[in-house]
């Protein structure tokens, strides 16, 4: 069992930065995936980190602006978001614990057992 909780969202102007935090309790994780969901849209992957290989992933629209990290205890993850744009406005979630059979589809929201409550990011122009 693991519980996740996001924090750090807020309302900012375009070009500013935010740092989101995801804290895991119950046990550590070896990967953390960030998703976002805007009104009327599907929940979509934003970034991910996997400690086994050290690999990170960023969706094309945020690459070069966002970065993801995980601490040495594997209980806290961060999503640093720079140069924010209005189109980044969404509810941001962290997710962990892929369901069996979803290893090759880690980017799918349906593959995760555990989610945080979400933190709202609003970017105005």
């Amino acid at each position: 069992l693991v519980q996740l909780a996001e924090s750090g969202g807020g309302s900012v102007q375009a070009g500013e930065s935010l740092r989101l935090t995801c804290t895991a309790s119950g046990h550590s994780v070896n990967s953390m995936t960030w998703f976002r969901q805007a009104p009327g849209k599907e929940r979509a992957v934003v970034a991910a980190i996997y400690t086994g290989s050290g690999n990170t992933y960023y969706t094309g629209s945020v690459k070069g602006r966002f970065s993801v990290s995980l601490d040495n205890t594997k209980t806290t993850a961060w999503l640093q978001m720079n140069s924010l744009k209005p189109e980044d406005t969404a509810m941001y979630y962290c997710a962990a614990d892929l369901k069996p059979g979803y290893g090759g589809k880690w980017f799918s929201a349906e593959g995760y057992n555990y989610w945080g409550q979400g933190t709202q990011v609003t970017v105005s122009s």
Side-chain angles (χ1 to χ4, degrees):
L1 177 68
V2 63
Q3 292 181 304
L4 306 176
E6 305 95 338
S7 62
S11 182
V12 299
Q13 292 183 304
E16 296 182 343
S17 299
L18 285 171
R19 190 187 194 193
L20 307 184
T21 300
C22 177
T23 300
S25 59
H27 58 76
S28 63
V29 300
N30 62 9
S31 66
M32 191 72 76
T33 304
W34 289 90
F35 290 82
R36 66 185 179 187
Q37 187 168 25
K41 295 187 179 295
E42 295 291 314
R43 193 169 297 188
V45 67
V46 177
I49 184 167
Y50 178 62
T51 60
S53 62
N55 286 349
T56 57
Y57 167 84
Y58 303 95
T59 196
S61 61
V62 309
K63 192 171 184 178
R65 299 188 297 118
F66 291 12
S67 62
V68 64
S69 58
L70 186 67
D71 76 346
N72 290 334
T73 67
K74 299 189 289 184
T75 57
T76 304
W78 295 272
L79 182 66
Q80 178 68 43
M81 306 185 296
N82 297 325
S83 302
L84 283 162
K85 303 176 180 180
E87 49 263 48
D88 295 319
T89 296
M91 185 74 75
Y92 284 72
Y93 301 88
C94 57
D97 191 13
L98 268 176
K99 299 174 182 177
Y102 278 83
K105 297 182 68 176
W106 54 267
F107 50 85
S108 175
E110 292 82 2
Y112 291 88
N113 284 314
Y114 299 105
W115 295 85
Q117 81 287 350
T119 186
Q120 178 68 38
V121 172
T122 302
V123 185
S124 62
S125 60

